[in-house]
Amino acid sequence: MSDTIKDATIEYAIRLGDDANVLGHRISEWVSRGPFLEEDIAYANVALDYIGRARMFYGYASELTNDGRTEDDFAYMRDDRQYRNLLLMELPKEDFAYSQVRQLFIDIYYSLFLPELVKSKDDTLAAIAAKAIKETRYHLRRSRDWVLRLGDGTEESHRRTQRAVDSLWGYTHEMFELDDTEQLLADSGIGVDITQLRDEWHRQVSAILTEATLNIPEDGWAVRGGRIGYHTENLGHLLTEMQFVHRSYPGCQW
Amino acid sequence: MSSEEQTSLQEQQFMQKINAEEKIEPKDWMPEKYRKNLIRQISQHAHSEVIGMQPEGNFLTRAPSLRRKAILLSKIQDEAGHGLYLYSAAETLGISRDEMIEALQSGRAKYASIFNYPALTWGDMGAIGWLVDGAAIVNQVSLQRTSYGPYARGMIRICKEESFHQRQGYDIMLTLANGTSEQKAMAQDSLNRFYWPALMMFGPHDSESAHSAKSMEWKIKRETNDDLRQKFIDQTASQIEFLGLEHPDKELKWNEERGHYDSGEIDWEEFHNVIAGNGHCNRQRLEHHIKAHEEGAWVREALVAYNAKKQAKQAEVA
C-alpha cells in the first residue's frame, strides 16, 4: 500500500467510523423512551450494530496508523472540528417520525453503499461491509415499515412525518459527494464511488415516500460540511456528553 | 355436587399438584388469590426490568469506552426482552399489558425499589450489574422452581442472561478497583451506596413479610427472604475482598457455627420510606415512563389507523 493510499484509507475508515459512532449515539438516546417496549429493544439493537461498526472501522484506522492510538482515542479524544461524520448522523433525535425518516434515508444509503464496499480491494473494509450488510437489511425493513405506517397512519402522524422529510432532505445531498480522498480510493478500487448511487437512492426513497402518501421535497436546499469538520451546532453537545467520563480521567483503562 | 364442594375438590387437586412439584399451567384451575398473587409478583418483576433500563440508559451516552458502551447496550436490550417475556407470562393469567402499564403509572403496581436510587457515576454501572443483578439472580435462581409453569420457564431463560450481566458489572468494578486511585475511590463510593439497597431487594424479614407465608405454601416463592439474603451476603463478602475494597458493613463477621456471615442491621426506616414513594428517584422514574408513553401515543394510534386502512383495502380487493 502506497503512503498516499494508506493515508486516504485511514481517513476513510475514520469517516465511516464517525458516521457509525455518532448515529449509534443518537439512536441509543431512544432507549427507555420508545413508544412501546418492542421499540426500546429494536433501538438498543440498532444502536449496538452501529457501535459495533464504529469499533471495526476505528479498529482498522488504529491498525493502519500504528501509532498507539486505539479505537477509543478516535472516539473520545477528537473534537467536533476533527470529526468527519455526515451531518445527517448528528442531528438530534427529535420525535419518532424524525428518527425513523432519518433512519430510512440512511438505511437505503447503506443498502446501496455496503454491497459496493464488499467488492473493495481492501480485505478489511470488505469484511466489515459484509457483516454490516446483514444488519442493514433488518434496519431497512424496520424503518421502511415505520415510514409507511406513519405517513399513511393518522393526520398527526402524516404531518409529523412530512415535516421530518422536509427538514432532513437538505442533509441528504452530501451523502453522495466525493472529495479528492474518496475519489482517489474509488479510482483505486478501495472506496465506493457514491455519486453512482444517488439515482437509485432517489428512486427507492421516492417510491416509499409516495406509497406512504408523502411528498418528495424539492432539491433546492442543501447543507454540507461533515466530511471537512464543518458541523451543525449539535455535534459539540453530543461529544461533550459522550466524552465527559473518558476525558475527566485521562489515561485510564475502563 | 354443589359449587362449594366442586371448588373444594378443585382446590384439593390444585394443592396435590403443587405438593407433587407439578407445574400449574395457564388453563388449569387455580385459586383466585393464587392468580392475583402471581399477577402482582410477575408484573412487579416485569416493571422492574423496564424501569431498570432508566438508570443504565442514563449512562449509555457517557460510557467511557466503546466496548463498555456495546456491553451496556446489549445488557439493556436483554432487560427490555425480560420485561417482554414477563409481561407475556403475566398475560397468561388474564391481565393485559395495557392494564399492567396503567397500574405501574398510577402507582398501584410496584417495581424494585433499588431503581429509586440514582446512578451517578460510571462506578454505579459496575455496582448495579454486580450487586443489583447479582441479588436478582439469587432470587431468580430459586424462582426457576416456582409453581407457575410460564413464570418458571421464563426464569430459566432470564437467569442465563442475568449471570452475564452480573459478570460484566463485576468486571467494571474489577477494572476500577485495579485502576488509578480516583477510579478505586469511584468503585468504593458505588459499593457504599449500592450495598445496603441491594440487601433490601430481598424484602422485609420473614416475620414482617406480608405475602411470604401463602407464597411459600403455594410454592410461588421457594426460599424465604432472609435465606436468600444470607446467600447473597455470603457470596458478596469474598467478592468485595477480592476487589480489595472496604466492606460497607462494619459488623460483618464470619460465624463458624452457623457457617454464614453475621451482618449489621439494615436501615428499615429507609427501606419503608423508599417503598412508600419517598426515595430519591421514585417520582422521576415514573414521570420518565409516563412521558415516553404519552409521547408515543400518536405512534401507537398511527399503527392502529394504518392497519385498519390496510385491512379495509384488502377487504375491498376480496
Side-chain angles (χ1 to χ4, degrees):
Chain A
M1 200 187 277
S2 79
D3 280 354
T4 329
I5 293 286
K6 186 174 159 185
D7 288 346
T9 308
I10 292 169
E11 170 71 16
Y12 199 48
I14 290 175
R15 289 177 182 191
L16 297 173
D18 287 348
D19 282 343
N21 184 24
V22 169
L23 182 64
H25 181 103
R26 279 296 183 225
I27 298 171
S28 78
E29 292 175 344
W30 273 102
V31 172
S32 85
R33 294 184 178 87
F36 44 89
L37 193 51
E38 285 81 349
E39 283 304 306
D40 280 331
I41 298 179
Y43 271 125
N45 196 338
V46 177
L48 184 56
D49 288 342
Y50 276 103
I51 298 304
R53 250 181 240 189
R55 295 185 65 196
M56 291 188 284
F57 283 123
Y58 288 150
Y60 189 40
S62 155
E63 188 187 317
L64 289 177
T65 46
N66 196 24
D67 60 1
R69 270 187 296 172
T70 64
E71 59 179 39
D72 287 336
D73 290 325
F74 290 109
Y76 292 95
M77 299 306 288
R78 288 181 307 137
D79 294 332
D80 52 352
R81 298 283 286 136
Q82 292 151 341
Y83 257 72
R84 291 291 180 263
N85 59 282
L86 296 166
L87 302 179
L88 187 60
M89 310 295 180
E90 72 200 38
L91 300 173
K93 79 183 207 323
E94 303 285 352
D95 68 6
F96 190 75
Y98 191 91
S99 281
Q100 290 300 345
V101 170
R102 173 197 357 226
Q103 201 60 48
L104 177 74
F105 290 169
I106 291 169
D107 292 341
I108 294 181
Y109 171 76
Y110 279 129
S111 73
L112 299 171
F113 173 84
L114 293 170
E116 293 303 314
L117 191 61
V118 165
K119 298 181 213 155
S120 171
K121 284 183 185 160
D122 184 303
D123 292 343
T124 308
L125 291 178
I128 297 172
K131 182 174 182 299
I133 283 176
K134 293 177 206 147
E135 300 162 353
T136 283
R137 268 190 216 123
Y138 153 78
H139 301 168
L140 176 57
R141 221 167 44 224
R142 173 168 171 262
S143 60
R144 180 184 170 278
D145 283 354
W146 269 118
V147 170
L148 290 177
R149 291 161 178 163
L150 298 177
D152 195 16
T154 61
E155 209 174 297
E156 180 178 10
S157 71
H158 178 87
R159 179 176 52 75
R160 285 174 182 264
T161 313
Q162 185 65 58
R163 186 196 68 92
V165 170
D166 295 343
S167 356
L168 289 163
W169 195 256
Y171 296 94
T172 61
H173 306 285
E174 77 166 344
M175 296 199 287
F176 302 99
E177 289 166 3
L178 281 188
D179 64 0
D180 291 347
T181 303
E182 291 191 29
Q183 188 68 58
L184 172 71
L185 291 176
D187 293 344
S188 321
I190 291 171
V192 176
D193 182 356
I194 38 179
T195 60
Q196 301 296 313
L197 308 177
R198 178 162 200 168
D199 290 346
E200 181 55 19
W201 181 87
H202 198 280
R203 197 191 62 73
Q204 291 191 22
V205 167
S206 302
I208 293 171
L209 295 184
T210 305
E211 192 184 339
T213 73
L214 296 161
N215 295 323
I216 299 141
E218 298 294 323
D219 273 344
W221 174 61
V223 198
R224 45 179 65 86
R227 296 297 191 218
I228 55 165
Y230 188 58
H231 289 278
T232 69
E233 291 177 347
N234 300 291
L235 185 65
H237 295 281
L238 183 152
L239 294 180
T240 302
E241 188 171 342
M242 181 196 291
Q243 297 175 341
F244 161 70
V245 177
H246 187 96
R247 289 208 190 192
S248 297
Y249 303 90
C252 288
Q253 296 294 311
W254 298 98
Chain B
M1 206 187 319
S2 74
S3 67
E4 267 173 38
E5 281 168 344
Q6 197 182 351
T7 307
S8 105
L9 185 68
Q10 282 170 322
E11 237 177 282
Q12 273 175 25
Q13 287 168 340
F14 170 81
M15 279 316 296
Q16 274 166 6
K17 258 193 175 170
I18 297 266
N19 292 332
E21 295 286 332
E22 283 175 42
K23 297 293 177 222
I24 306 298
E25 295 299 334
K27 286 187 176 138
D28 294 345
W29 184 90
M30 61 187 85
E32 219 27 55
K33 279 189 178 159
Y34 176 86
R35 183 185 299 275
K36 280 205 176 129
N37 197 328
L38 269 173
I39 289 178
R40 181 187 57 77
Q41 186 170 331
I42 301 174
S43 69
Q44 179 173 331
H45 192 163
H47 297 326
S48 303
E49 298 280 359
V50 170
I51 297 293
M53 292 162 68
Q54 289 181 31
E56 291 179 320
N58 175 40
F59 259 93
L60 263 182
T61 50
R62 288 178 289 169
S65 76
L66 292 176
R67 179 174 152 264
R68 291 292 181 197
K69 178 154 26 186
I71 295 172
L72 192 59
L73 269 169
S74 156
K75 176 177 193 284
I76 296 175
Q77 190 186 346
D78 285 350
E79 275 152 9
H82 297 172
L84 268 189
Y85 314 150
L86 288 163
Y87 281 131
S88 307
E91 280 175 330
T92 63
L93 292 158
I95 186 168
S96 70
R97 205 205 296 183
D98 283 347
E99 287 172 297
M100 288 185 265
I101 288 175
E102 197 279 320
L104 169 68
Q105 295 186 342
S106 68
R108 276 183 293 120
K110 302 273 182 227
Y111 55 87
S113 271
I114 189 83
F115 300 121
N116 292 318
Y117 292 84
L120 302 175
T121 69
W122 177 250
D124 292 0
M125 295 303 101
I128 289 175
W130 166 41
L131 298 172
V132 176
D133 290 73
I137 295 171
V138 169
N139 190 24
Q140 287 164 2
V141 163
S142 93
L143 286 174
Q144 293 178 350
R145 296 182 293 121
T146 193
S147 58
Y148 188 57
Y151 193 26
R153 290 188 288 273
M155 278 306 120
I156 291 170
R157 198 162 160 191
I158 287 172
C159 278
K160 282 186 195 147
E161 293 177 347
E162 290 287 354
S163 62
F164 146 70
H165 297 172
Q166 188 187 20
R167 276 201 308 277
Q168 70 84 34
Y170 193 68
D171 188 62
I172 290 176
M173 293 301 274
L174 199 55
T175 308
L176 294 176
N178 292 320
T180 64
S181 57
E182 275 177 311
Q183 283 178 304
K184 191 167 180 180
M186 187 190 276
Q188 183 70 56
D189 172 53
S190 297
L191 170 60
N192 293 348
R193 280 183 289 111
F194 278 92
Y195 181 76
W196 291 105
L199 294 192
M200 294 179 200
M201 286 174 67
F202 296 96
H205 282 312
D206 299 335
S207 52
E208 313 277 329
S209 177
H211 305 285
S212 268
K214 205 64 190 169
S215 291
M216 291 291 287
E217 186 190 328
W218 279 333
K219 300 192 181 175
I220 292 176
K221 226 165 139 168
R222 302 309 307 254
E223 287 175 79
T224 71
N225 294 354
D226 286 329
D227 285 351
L228 291 169
R229 182 165 24 238
Q230 184 70 58
K231 261 187 202 169
F232 179 74
I233 290 170
D234 291 347
Q235 78 181 33
T236 306
S238 57
Q239 292 169 346
I240 293 175
E241 200 182 321
F242 187 75
L243 290 173
L245 297 177
E246 261 180 59
H247 201 296
D249 182 355
K250 301 297 166 227
E251 291 170 49
L252 190 91
K253 204 174 157 212
W254 178 251
N255 182 325
E256 192 65 49
E257 201 178 315
R258 288 202 312 127
H260 290 294
Y261 282 96
D262 292 335
S263 50
E265 196 50 72
I266 287 171
D267 181 350
W268 292 108
E269 196 184 320
E270 177 183 318
F271 172 84
H272 290 295
N273 205 25
V274 178
I275 284 193
N278 302 320
H280 218 81
C281 300
N282 295 61
R283 283 168 180 74
Q284 179 196 328
R285 299 291 185 234
L286 276 188
E287 279 163 11
H288 178 116
H289 194 271
I290 292 169
K291 184 164 182 265
H293 192 71
E294 285 177 353
E295 284 176 355
W298 68 268
V299 178
R300 298 189 298 275
E301 284 160 16
L303 188 57
V304 172
Y306 175 79
N307 288 338
K309 281 186 201 176
K310 215 174 159 187
Q311 269 178 353
K313 269 183 208 157
Q314 277 169 351
E316 234 170 74
V317 174

